[in-house]
């Protein structure tokens, strides 16, 4: 049989249509623009604080990253604050995932009336900007003793984490085969047993993905951290980091950027550790 060595080359040229080229160029440009802030953060975090002249650097000059991180760790007391944020992020995200998974099971699997109404009632918590809740929360917390308390921040983080976690878990529950639940019910399994022994194991990847989302959201919170807490043993890490660039701080931008890079490491480690569950959940929801 005759061979055509130029066939693959011609096929590749045929696939490079103007539309495909335009799409690839557009995606490349968007990726570069998206990565630009991260590049500037890394470059200026490496600059020694003593050598920073007030103008952002576009290319690495010197190596003072570890010294900048050490200064940020000491002056902002990031250790206790990171412990607080870890406590808030883990506990509130875990509780929110349990509540969201239970709600998704009830509104998708169980024979509940007005399922659409329940969906919008729970998901509407994500439709309003968080700034709307600041004044009533501040006044309520000041009157009930929850202001500047770990339990108060925990309640807020659970409340703001549930709606989006419910959105993820509900979408995942819609992809599960109803025949599995019907077979279990015909065998006499109670709803409680169906939930814990069938629904939860099948939803594990989606639960991990939702946990990652909510952990990152709580870890990166600054708004409620600076509004509902003042004590160093209560405030989350972003509120502590914000003090480095406050009016009474004398550290340079490289120290602030080094601290920002330092406090972002837990979320990066968590994402890569749970990447397998994260990707599989996205595929199933897609």
């Amino acid at each position: 049989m005759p061979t055509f060595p130029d066939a693959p080359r011609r096929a590749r040229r045929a696939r490079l249509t103007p539309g495909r080229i335009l799409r690839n160029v557009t995606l490349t440009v968007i990726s570069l623009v998206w990565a630009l802030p991260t590049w500037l953060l890394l470059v200026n975090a490496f600059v020694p604080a003593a050598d920073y002249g007030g103008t952002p650097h576009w290319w690495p000059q010197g190596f003072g990253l570890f010294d900048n991180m050490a200064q940020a760790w000491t002056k902002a007391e990031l250790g206790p604050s990171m412990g607080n944020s870890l406590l808030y992020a883990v506990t509130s995200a875990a509780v929110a995932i349990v509540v969201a998974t239970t709600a998704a099971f009830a509104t998708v699997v169980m024979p509940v009336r007005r399922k659409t109404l329940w969906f919008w009632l729970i998901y509407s918590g994500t439709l309003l900007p968080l700034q709307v809740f600041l004044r009533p929360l501040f006044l309520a917390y000041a009157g009930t003793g929850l202001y500047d308390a770990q339990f108060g921040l925990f309640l807020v983080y659970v409340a703001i984490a549930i709606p989006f976690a419910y959105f993820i878990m509900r979408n995942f529950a819609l992809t599960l085969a109803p025949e599995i639940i019907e077979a279990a019910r015909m065998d006499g399994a109670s709803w409680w047993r169906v939930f814990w022994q069938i629904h939860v194991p099948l939803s594990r990847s989606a639960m991990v993905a939702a946990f990652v989302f909510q952990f990152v959201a709580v870890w990166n919170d600054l708004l409620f951290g600076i509004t509902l807490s003042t004590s160093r043993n209560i405030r989350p890490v972003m509120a502590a980091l914000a003090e480095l660039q406050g009016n009474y701080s004398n550290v340079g931008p490289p120290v602030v950027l080094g601290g920002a890079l330092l406090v972002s490491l837990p979320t990066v480690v968590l994402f890569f550790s749970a990447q397998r569950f994260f990707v599989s959940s996205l595929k199933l929801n897609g």
Side-chain angles (χ1 to χ4, degrees), residues 136-149 151-153 155-156 228:
L137 273 175
F138 178 82
L139 296 177
Y141 272 37
T144 57
L146 291 175
Y147 180 78
D148 198 28
F151 186 67
L153 284 175
L155 290 178
V156 169
L228 302 178

Side-chain angles (χ1 to χ4, degrees), residues 167-185:
F167 177 77
I168 296 176
M169 298 310 304
R170 176 184 178 272
N171 287 349
F172 184 86
L174 290 173
T175 65
L176 299 178
E179 293 80 8
I180 301 176
I181 307 299
E182 293 174 1
R185 292 289 294 168

Side-chain angles (χ1 to χ4, degrees), residues 219-232:
W219 184 272
N220 291 334
D221 172 71
L222 174 63
L223 184 64
F224 292 109
I226 62 177
T227 304
L228 302 178
S229 67
T230 56
S231 302
R232 290 181 177 268

Side-chain angles (χ1 to χ4, degrees), residues 101-126:
T101 304
T102 306
F105 178 80
T107 56
V108 174
V109 179
M110 297 181 66
V112 177
R113 299 178 58 186
R114 299 183 177 88
K115 295 183 178 183
T116 303
L117 176 63
W118 282 110
F119 166 74
W120 285 110
L121 183 64
I122 299 174
Y123 184 66
S124 61
T126 64

Side-chain angles (χ1 to χ4, degrees), residues 45-48 63-73 258 261-262 265:
F46 273 82
V47 176
F63 186 83
L65 177 63
F66 294 146
D67 182 62
N68 294 336
M69 286 183 172
Q71 290 189 53
W73 180 273
L261 190 61
L262 180 63
L265 293 179

